[in-house]
Amino acid sequence: MATDPEIQRRRREGIARHHAKPGVKLEYRERMRKVMEKVKADPALMEKRREHGRWLHANVLTRPDVVEKTLAPETREKRAATLSATRMRDIPGAYRDEYRRLVASKKATAAEAKAIILEQFKRDIAA
């Protein structure tokens, strides 16, 4: 049953519906924050996590097939888009290039550029 495409599709839809409920993500973040506080307080658990990270690096992340996928142009583009969407979540997508131009070439601070872009966005919406 676990490999049936229809069951997999319904399972994914159910998970998506659950995560779309208000407060689910915040509840999950809070639960994970508490777990990590406990882990950080226990040196043995921290060392276990470090050891697992070393194992991952030695046995998975340095494999040629994984390195090739990691360095592939489409993977890098997807990562860049995800980082932009996360770091500039307050800036509307169509205005992100203009925001970057303001910060890079016009030497505006991030706060100034954000204010300019959001004001421009409000004007465009009103028009």
Side-chain angles (χ1 to χ4, degrees):
M1 282 179 48
T3 59
D4 180 11
E6 179 61 22
I7 291 175
Q8 289 177 345
R9 183 188 62 77
R10 289 195 325 238
R11 186 177 294 136
R12 282 191 304 269
E13 288 174 358
I15 291 169
R17 275 194 311 273
H18 174 69
H19 286 285
K21 293 177 187 174
V24 169
K25 284 186 179 180
L26 291 176
E27 180 184 317
Y28 177 77
R29 285 182 191 155
E30 183 62 22
R31 193 168 62 241
M32 289 299 107
R33 188 186 61 74
K34 288 178 182 176
V35 166
M36 287 310 297
E37 281 178 3
K38 290 179 186 176
V39 169
K40 289 176 183 176
D42 186 351
L45 279 175
M46 281 300 289
E47 186 53 37
K48 185 176 179 181
R49 287 176 56 87
R50 282 190 192 97
E51 188 56 39
H52 180 68
R54 290 183 194 109
W55 180 89
L56 274 176
H57 182 268
N59 298 309
V60 178
L61 300 176
T62 54
R63 284 190 341 228
D65 61 321
V66 175
V67 170
E68 183 180 335
K69 285 180 189 176
T70 303
L71 298 178
E74 51 277 355
T75 305
R76 294 170 66 92
E77 288 172 13
K78 185 177 177 183
R79 180 175 182 270
T82 301
L83 284 172
S84 286
T86 301
R87 291 178 180 162
M88 294 196 288
R89 62 184 166 267
D90 298 339
I91 309 295
Y95 296 84
R96 289 183 182 152
D97 287 337
E98 178 64 17
Y99 172 84
R100 287 185 191 103
R101 188 185 70 75
L102 287 171
V103 172
S105 64
K106 299 295 183 183
K107 303 298 183 208
T109 65
E112 291 170 344
K114 180 179 175 181
I116 292 167
I117 292 297
L118 292 179
E119 184 61 37
Q120 181 179 352
F121 177 67
K122 288 176 187 173
R123 277 187 269 125
D124 292 349
I125 291 290

